[in-house]
Amino acid sequence: MTPAVFLDRDGTLIEEVGYLDRLDRIVFYPWSIDAVRLLNRAGFKVIIVTNQSGGARGMFEECFVEEAHEFIDGRVREGNALIDRFYYCPHHPDASIEAYRQKCECRKPSPGMVRQAQRDFHLDLERSFVIGDRWHDVELAQSFGGLGVLVRTGYGEAEVAKPRPKVNAALIAPELMTAVGWILRRIA
């Protein structure tokens, strides 16, 4: 079984811009593609898990999320790196569009997206990690027995200032590349 690194999208892989609603607002951090490539070379599955309730709030069509992921995937592949799969949750319990208004198992920190990835890729979750800029990313890792890394990019700095009881990051890193370096040293 293969371990995975589950990456948050906005604020971790790409810059946080609020509700991403146009492709021209996608800006990669300078280290993002190199970090993904290092994880690929180390044998990790690299999987994006992201809450995307903008469609549920009427800010854009859900198909835009797929379009954004295709754009991101293309840029990452141009850099000779690979994101194995993108998973997203389009729901929100307070959504303005009724079809999306639900409390679901796929919205982080619930482990629905991770469980689907485990089925799809036969993953070893005990040797897996989550990297993200929100405490719910760390909670996601705790929910399946992995290790969670909080990065200070995106919303991370504000999150660090407001710790959550019983939510403990294995590492608080300045950015994705430092988090990946830490993971690679742990498995060496």
Side-chain angles (χ1 to χ4, degrees), residues 7 35 73 76 78 87 97 99-100 102 111 119 134 156 166 172 176 183 187:
L7 296 178
D73 186 55
V76 170
E78 286 172 10
Y87 295 89
I97 298 175
Y100 294 104
Q102 60 179 290
R119 289 188 293 274
R134 305 295 293 260
K166 299 182 184 178
I172 296 175
L176 178 61
I183 289 170
I187 65 164

PDB file of all heavy atoms in Angstrom, residues 7 35 73 76 78 87 97 99-100 102 111 119 134 156 166 172 176 183 187:
ATOM      1  N   LEU A   7      -2.966  17.408  -0.147  1.00  0.00           N
ATOM      2  CA  LEU A   7      -2.691  18.842  -0.140  1.00  0.00           C
ATOM      3  C   LEU A   7      -3.988  19.620  -0.235  1.00  0.00           C
ATOM      4  O   LEU A   7      -4.846  19.316  -1.068  1.00  0.00           O
ATOM      5  CB  LEU A   7      -1.831  19.241  -1.342  1.00  0.00           C
ATOM      6  CG  LEU A   7      -0.428  18.687  -1.446  1.00  0.00           C
ATOM      7  CD1 LEU A   7       0.226  19.168  -2.738  1.00  0.00           C
ATOM      8  CD2 LEU A   7       0.403  19.104  -0.249  1.00  0.00           C
ATOM      9  N   ALA A  35       7.837  21.203  -5.025  1.00  0.00           N
ATOM     10  CA  ALA A  35       7.431  20.412  -3.857  1.00  0.00           C
ATOM     11  C   ALA A  35       6.649  19.172  -4.288  1.00  0.00           C
ATOM     12  O   ALA A  35       6.873  18.068  -3.770  1.00  0.00           O
ATOM     13  CB  ALA A  35       6.604  21.276  -2.900  1.00  0.00           C
ATOM     14  N   ASP A  73      -3.652  21.225 -13.045  1.00  0.00           N
ATOM     15  CA  ASP A  73      -3.025  19.975 -13.452  1.00  0.00           C
ATOM     16  C   ASP A  73      -2.091  20.206 -14.635  1.00  0.00           C
ATOM     17  O   ASP A  73      -0.963  19.685 -14.658  1.00  0.00           O
ATOM     18  CB  ASP A  73      -4.110  18.951 -13.804  1.00  0.00           C
ATOM     19  CG  ASP A  73      -3.538  17.588 -14.097  1.00  0.00           C
ATOM     20  OD1 ASP A  73      -2.812  17.037 -13.246  1.00  0.00           O
ATOM     21  OD2 ASP A  73      -3.815  17.060 -15.196  1.00  0.00           O
ATOM     22  N   VAL A  76       1.098  21.953 -13.457  1.00  0.00           N
ATOM     23  CA  VAL A  76       1.948  21.048 -12.680  1.00  0.00           C
ATOM     24  C   VAL A  76       2.651  20.063 -13.614  1.00  0.00           C
ATOM     25  O   VAL A  76       3.851  19.808 -13.475  1.00  0.00           O
ATOM     26  CB  VAL A  76       1.115  20.330 -11.595  1.00  0.00           C
ATOM     27  CG1 VAL A  76       1.900  19.203 -10.937  1.00  0.00           C
ATOM     28  CG2 VAL A  76       0.638  21.333 -10.543  1.00  0.00           C
ATOM     29  N   GLU A  78       3.409  20.526 -16.733  1.00  0.00           N
ATOM     30  CA  GLU A  78       4.442  21.265 -17.475  1.00  0.00           C
ATOM     31  C   GLU A  78       5.744  21.319 -16.682  1.00  0.00           C
ATOM     32  O   GLU A  78       6.820  21.397 -17.261  1.00  0.00           O
ATOM     33  CB  GLU A  78       3.978  22.689 -17.773  1.00  0.00           C
ATOM     34  CG  GLU A  78       2.945  22.792 -18.864  1.00  0.00           C
ATOM     35  CD  GLU A  78       2.381  24.198 -18.994  1.00  0.00           C
ATOM     36  OE1 GLU A  78       2.908  25.147 -18.367  1.00  0.00           O
ATOM     37  OE2 GLU A  78       1.383  24.354 -19.728  1.00  0.00           O
ATOM     38  N   TYR A  87      -9.849  15.941  -5.489  1.00  0.00           N
ATOM     39  CA  TYR A  87     -11.152  15.686  -4.878  1.00  0.00           C
ATOM     40  C   TYR A  87     -11.631  17.009  -4.285  1.00  0.00           C
ATOM     41  O   TYR A  87     -10.833  17.755  -3.700  1.00  0.00           O
ATOM     42  CB  TYR A  87     -11.052  14.661  -3.743  1.00  0.00           C
ATOM     43  CG  TYR A  87     -10.651  13.284  -4.196  1.00  0.00           C
ATOM     44  CD1 TYR A  87      -9.312  12.917  -4.272  1.00  0.00           C
ATOM     45  CD2 TYR A  87     -11.609  12.333  -4.532  1.00  0.00           C
ATOM     46  CE1 TYR A  87      -8.933  11.651  -4.673  1.00  0.00           C
ATOM     47  CE2 TYR A  87     -11.245  11.056  -4.941  1.00  0.00           C
ATOM     48  CZ  TYR A  87      -9.901  10.728  -5.008  1.00  0.00           C
ATOM     49  OH  TYR A  87      -9.530   9.467  -5.410  1.00  0.00           O
ATOM     50  N   ILE A  97     -27.852  27.742  -2.428  1.00  0.00           N
ATOM     51  CA  ILE A  97     -28.460  26.872  -3.440  1.00  0.00           C
ATOM     52  C   ILE A  97     -28.823  25.552  -2.758  1.00  0.00           C
ATOM     53  O   ILE A  97     -27.952  24.819  -2.286  1.00  0.00           O
ATOM     54  CB  ILE A  97     -27.510  26.662  -4.633  1.00  0.00           C
ATOM     55  CG1 ILE A  97     -27.239  28.021  -5.300  1.00  0.00           C
ATOM     56  CG2 ILE A  97     -28.103  25.662  -5.623  1.00  0.00           C
ATOM     57  CD1 ILE A  97     -26.229  27.985  -6.397  1.00  0.00           C
ATOM     58  N   ALA A  99     -29.700  22.564  -3.550  1.00  0.00           N
ATOM     59  CA  ALA A  99     -29.128  21.279  -3.958  1.00  0.00           C
ATOM     60  C   ALA A  99     -27.783  20.998  -3.283  1.00  0.00           C
ATOM     61  O   ALA A  99     -27.387  19.841  -3.139  1.00  0.00           O
ATOM     62  CB  ALA A  99     -28.958  21.236  -5.474  1.00  0.00           C
ATOM     63  N   TYR A 100     -27.086  22.034  -2.862  1.00  0.00           N
ATOM     64  CA  TYR A 100     -25.787  21.889  -2.221  1.00  0.00           C
ATOM     65  C   TYR A 100     -25.858  22.033  -0.703  1.00  0.00           C
ATOM     66  O   TYR A 100     -24.843  21.881  -0.032  1.00  0.00           O
ATOM     67  CB  TYR A 100     -24.804  22.935  -2.757  1.00  0.00           C
ATOM     68  CG  TYR A 100     -24.463  22.763  -4.204  1.00  0.00           C
ATOM     69  CD1 TYR A 100     -25.016  23.590  -5.173  1.00  0.00           C
ATOM     70  CD2 TYR A 100     -23.562  21.790  -4.604  1.00  0.00           C
ATOM     71  CE1 TYR A 100     -24.677  23.443  -6.511  1.00  0.00           C
ATOM     72  CE2 TYR A 100     -23.225  21.635  -5.940  1.00  0.00           C
ATOM     73  CZ  TYR A 100     -23.792  22.463  -6.888  1.00  0.00           C
ATOM     74  OH  TYR A 100     -23.458  22.312  -8.210  1.00  0.00           O
ATOM     75  N   GLN A 102     -26.161  20.859   2.566  1.00  0.00           N
ATOM     76  CA  GLN A 102     -26.146  19.621   3.341  1.00  0.00           C
ATOM     77  C   GLN A 102     -24.901  19.538   4.199  1.00  0.00           C
ATOM     78  O   GLN A 102     -23.882  20.141   3.900  1.00  0.00           O
ATOM     79  CB  GLN A 102     -26.225  18.398   2.421  1.00  0.00           C
ATOM     80  CG  GLN A 102     -25.107  18.278   1.430  1.00  0.00           C
ATOM     81  CD  GLN A 102     -25.219  17.043   0.571  1.00  0.00           C
ATOM     82  OE1 GLN A 102     -25.033  15.936   1.061  1.00  0.00           O
ATOM     83  NE2 GLN A 102     -25.560  17.225  -0.692  1.00  0.00           N
ATOM     84  N   PRO A 111     -13.685  12.954   6.836  1.00  0.00           N
ATOM     85  CA  PRO A 111     -12.716  12.231   6.002  1.00  0.00           C
ATOM     86  C   PRO A 111     -13.263  11.653   4.704  1.00  0.00           C
ATOM     87  O   PRO A 111     -12.611  10.807   4.092  1.00  0.00           O
ATOM     88  CB  PRO A 111     -12.260  11.114   6.945  1.00  0.00           C
ATOM     89  CG  PRO A 111     -13.479  10.809   7.753  1.00  0.00           C
ATOM     90  CD  PRO A 111     -14.139  12.155   7.981  1.00  0.00           C
ATOM     91  N   ARG A 119      -9.912   4.212  -1.257  1.00  0.00           N
ATOM     92  CA  ARG A 119     -10.520   3.177  -2.101  1.00  0.00           C
ATOM     93  C   ARG A 119      -9.958   3.219  -3.526  1.00  0.00           C
ATOM     94  O   ARG A 119      -9.661   2.191  -4.116  1.00  0.00           O
ATOM     95  CB  ARG A 119     -12.044   3.331  -2.132  1.00  0.00           C
ATOM     96  CG  ARG A 119     -12.720   2.970  -0.822  1.00  0.00           C
ATOM     97  CD  ARG A 119     -14.232   2.938  -0.938  1.00  0.00           C
ATOM     98  NE  ARG A 119     -14.826   4.246  -1.183  1.00  0.00           N
ATOM     99  CZ  ARG A 119     -15.151   5.126  -0.240  1.00  0.00           C
ATOM    100  NH1 ARG A 119     -14.928   4.853   1.037  1.00  0.00           N
ATOM    101  NH2 ARG A 119     -15.690   6.287  -0.577  1.00  0.00           N
ATOM    102  N   ARG A 134      -5.331  25.601   7.064  1.00  0.00           N
ATOM    103  CA  ARG A 134      -6.429  25.758   8.029  1.00  0.00           C
ATOM    104  C   ARG A 134      -6.373  24.624   9.049  1.00  0.00           C
ATOM    105  O   ARG A 134      -5.910  23.516   8.750  1.00  0.00           O
ATOM    106  CB  ARG A 134      -7.794  25.707   7.309  1.00  0.00           C
ATOM    107  CG  ARG A 134      -7.997  26.701   6.169  1.00  0.00           C
ATOM    108  CD  ARG A 134      -8.013  28.148   6.602  1.00  0.00           C
ATOM    109  NE  ARG A 134      -9.132  28.518   7.412  1.00  0.00           N
ATOM    110  CZ  ARG A 134     -10.222  29.150   6.984  1.00  0.00           C
ATOM    111  NH1 ARG A 134     -10.357  29.459   5.705  1.00  0.00           N
ATOM    112  NH2 ARG A 134     -11.171  29.488   7.825  1.00  0.00           N
ATOM    113  N   GLY A 156      -3.004  30.514   6.983  1.00  0.00           N
ATOM    114  CA  GLY A 156      -2.231  29.841   8.019  1.00  0.00           C
ATOM    115  C   GLY A 156      -1.764  30.718   9.159  1.00  0.00           C
ATOM    116  O   GLY A 156      -1.853  30.328  10.326  1.00  0.00           O
ATOM    117  N   LYS A 166      -7.385  20.454  21.227  1.00  0.00           N
ATOM    118  CA  LYS A 166      -7.287  19.071  20.756  1.00  0.00           C
ATOM    119  C   LYS A 166      -6.940  18.944  19.271  1.00  0.00           C
ATOM    120  O   LYS A 166      -7.074  17.880  18.690  1.00  0.00           O
ATOM    121  CB  LYS A 166      -8.568  18.294  21.055  1.00  0.00           C
ATOM    122  CG  LYS A 166      -8.869  18.211  22.528  1.00  0.00           C
ATOM    123  CD  LYS A 166     -10.114  17.396  22.782  1.00  0.00           C
ATOM    124  CE  LYS A 166     -10.435  17.415  24.270  1.00  0.00           C
ATOM    125  NZ  LYS A 166     -11.644  16.686  24.580  1.00  0.00           N
ATOM    126  N   ILE A 172       4.226  23.105  12.232  1.00  0.00           N
ATOM    127  CA  ILE A 172       3.747  24.359  11.663  1.00  0.00           C
ATOM    128  C   ILE A 172       4.918  24.883  10.825  1.00  0.00           C
ATOM    129  O   ILE A 172       5.991  25.164  11.353  1.00  0.00           O
ATOM    130  CB  ILE A 172       3.323  25.370  12.741  1.00  0.00           C
ATOM    131  CG1 ILE A 172       2.129  24.812  13.524  1.00  0.00           C
ATOM    132  CG2 ILE A 172       2.989  26.720  12.105  1.00  0.00           C
ATOM    133  CD1 ILE A 172       1.679  25.663  14.702  1.00  0.00           C
ATOM    134  N   LEU A 176       4.803  25.315   1.919  1.00  0.00           N
ATOM    135  CA  LEU A 176       4.723  23.941   1.441  1.00  0.00           C
ATOM    136  C   LEU A 176       6.088  23.278   1.298  1.00  0.00           C
ATOM    137  O   LEU A 176       6.244  22.115   1.676  1.00  0.00           O
ATOM    138  CB  LEU A 176       3.972  23.915   0.101  1.00  0.00           C
ATOM    139  CG  LEU A 176       3.824  22.561  -0.590  1.00  0.00           C
ATOM    140  CD1 LEU A 176       3.056  21.570   0.276  1.00  0.00           C
ATOM    141  CD2 LEU A 176       3.138  22.742  -1.945  1.00  0.00           C
ATOM    142  N   ILE A 183       8.607  16.116   5.778  1.00  0.00           N
ATOM    143  CA  ILE A 183       8.047  14.795   5.494  1.00  0.00           C
ATOM    144  C   ILE A 183       9.128  13.880   4.931  1.00  0.00           C
ATOM    145  O   ILE A 183       9.273  12.723   5.371  1.00  0.00           O
ATOM    146  CB  ILE A 183       6.852  14.902   4.517  1.00  0.00           C
ATOM    147  CG1 ILE A 183       5.659  15.525   5.229  1.00  0.00           C
ATOM    148  CG2 ILE A 183       6.500  13.528   3.938  1.00  0.00           C
ATOM    149  CD1 ILE A 183       4.509  15.903   4.301  1.00  0.00           C
ATOM    150  N   ILE A 187      10.745  10.104   6.511  1.00  0.00           N
ATOM    151  CA  ILE A 187      10.696   8.785   5.883  1.00  0.00           C
ATOM    152  C   ILE A 187      12.075   8.267   5.498  1.00  0.00           C
ATOM    153  O   ILE A 187      12.219   7.123   5.096  1.00  0.00           O
ATOM    154  CB  ILE A 187       9.774   8.774   4.638  1.00  0.00           C
ATOM    155  CG1 ILE A 187      10.322   9.679   3.539  1.00  0.00           C
ATOM    156  CG2 ILE A 187       8.355   9.150   5.023  1.00  0.00           C
ATOM    157  CD1 ILE A 187       9.699   9.441   2.189  1.00  0.00           C
TER     158      ILE A 187
END
